[in-house]
Amino acid sequence: MASAPSSAAGTRRRMPTAIKILVAGGFGAGKTTLVGAVSETEPLRTEEVLTDRGVGVDDIEGVETKRTTTVAMDFGRITFGDEFVLYLFGTPGQERFWFMWDEVALGALGAVVLADTRRLADCFPAIDYFERRGTPFIVAVNCFEGAQRYEADEVKQALQIGPGIPVLLCDARRKESSKEVLITLVQHAMKMRAAR
Ligand SMILES: Nc1nc2c(ncn2[C@@H]2O[C@H](COP(=O)(O)OP(=O)(O)OP(=O)(O)O)[C@@H](O)[C@H]2O)c(=O)[nH]1
Ligand SMILES: [Mg+2]
């Protein structure tokens, strides 16, 4: 871990370890919302307005109030004490923008795959992607109002992912809930690293 002198008195203060985290998942799963909820800086967003041209292409069922979509990425930052600073990269949900994923994914410690139980299959491509790359990931089920509630274990079974991969329920709009998701991911990714 890097460290640097912090004062004229010569005391040394630890520099936090910088960690890159990806936030992925299907269209409208709440990636931009999660990054915005936890970021301590004004999140950088690359949102474009959904227009009539997306009718029949962009499935907004369940998120009818959704007006914009991410076309490049979201970017935010959150610091945990003086130990870690997480740089969050939210990916675009729509397949036509996925050509950028390889670039965005470079050097990431791990990924949060956000899932919406009303359209669970939308998160399969993200799971496949991280499994293929060997990137540690967890699944966070974003609990939208009106969506049927499932236990995390039920979702895990439906996704058929490995027993060691954490699945948890969250509300992407809430800072504390989204922070818990990130902490779960960092702990999981570090455990995976230690086991390598
Ligand atoms: N009720 C409810 N609405 C949510 C929640 N999270 C996000 N939303 C809403 O759902 C819509 C989709 O959220 P976004 O954060 O834009 O989703 P996204 O995954 O970034 O979408 P793309 O970038 O287009 O793939 C927005 O209108 C949010 O306000 C949630 O936990 N509960
Ligand atoms: Mg988005």
Side-chain angles (χ1 to χ4, degrees), residues 31-32 47 66 69-70 74 91:
K31 303 172 292 292
T32 300
E47 296 278 285
K66 188 167 166 58
T69 188
T70 304
D74 307 300
T91 57

Side-chain angles (χ1 to χ4, degrees), residues 48-60:
E48 290 295 338
V49 174
L50 286 163
T51 65
D52 290 348
R53 300 188 73 177
V55 174
V57 181
D58 303 329
D59 176 10
I60 61 166

Side-chain angles (χ1 to χ4, degrees), residues 26-33 47 63 65-66 68-70 92-94 142-145 171-173:
F27 173 63
K31 303 172 292 292
T32 300
T33 304
E47 296 278 285
V63 284
T65 56
K66 188 167 166 58
T68 60
T69 188
T70 304
Q94 301 186 73
N142 192 11
C143 301
F144 287 82
E145 293 110 11
D171 183 337
R173 297 165 301 178

Side-chain angles (χ1 to χ4, degrees), residues 85-100:
V85 54
L86 306 192
Y87 292 99
L88 308 176
F89 292 77
T91 57
Q94 301 186 73
E95 281 188 50
R96 61 181 182 275
F97 300 123
W98 282 11
F99 61 91
M100 293 177 255

Side-chain angles (χ1 to χ4, degrees), residues 9-191:
T11 55
R12 293 176 82 81
R13 187 164 63 91
R14 274 151 64 111
M15 291 285 282
T17 303
I19 294 176
K20 178 176 180 179
I21 300 289
L22 304 173
V23 182
F27 173 63
K31 303 172 292 292
T32 300
T33 304
L34 184 144
V35 173
V38 291
S39 184
E40 61 206 10
T41 55
E42 190 61 36
L44 171 76
R45 292 179 174 148
T46 57
E47 296 278 285
E48 290 295 338
V49 174
L50 286 163
T51 65
D52 290 348
R53 300 188 73 177
V55 174
V57 181
D58 303 329
D59 176 10
I60 61 166
E61 195 184 336
V63 284
E64 288 82 359
T65 56
K66 188 167 166 58
R67 295 282 168 264
T68 60
T69 188
T70 304
V71 295
M73 64 174 184
D74 307 300
F75 177 71
R77 189 191 76 196
I78 178 168
T79 310
F80 289 92
D82 59 3
E83 261 196 285
F84 299 114
V85 54
L86 306 192
Y87 292 99
L88 308 176
F89 292 77
T91 57
Q94 301 186 73
E95 281 188 50
R96 61 181 182 275
F97 300 123
W98 282 11
F99 61 91
M100 293 177 255
W101 273 42
D102 287 342
E103 298 290 328
V104 179
L106 265 182
L109 176 79
V112 172
V113 176
L114 268 177
D116 176 350
T117 54
R118 297 168 301 181
R119 35 212 204 148
L120 200 55
D122 288 8
C123 73
F124 290 167
I127 289 176
D128 285 348
Y129 180 84
F130 296 122
E131 278 181 345
R132 264 202 321 273
R133 281 182 70 103
T135 304
F137 68 94
I138 65 165
V139 176
V141 180
N142 192 11
C143 301
F144 287 82
E145 293 110 11
Q148 191 176 338
R149 286 287 173 136
Y150 295 94
E151 295 301 322
D153 275 349
E154 293 177 280
V155 177
K156 190 170 190 163
Q157 251 184 343
L159 292 174
Q160 297 200 324
I161 51 176
I165 298 174
V167 176
L168 74 168
L169 308 180
C170 76
D171 183 337
R173 297 165 301 178
R174 286 183 40 230
K175 184 174 187 169
E176 286 311 311
S177 176
S178 297
K179 259 169 98 168
E180 188 194 341
V181 168
L182 296 173
I183 291 167
T184 305
L185 171 63
V186 171
Q187 286 171 340
H188 173 64
M190 288 193 161
K191 209 163 101 187

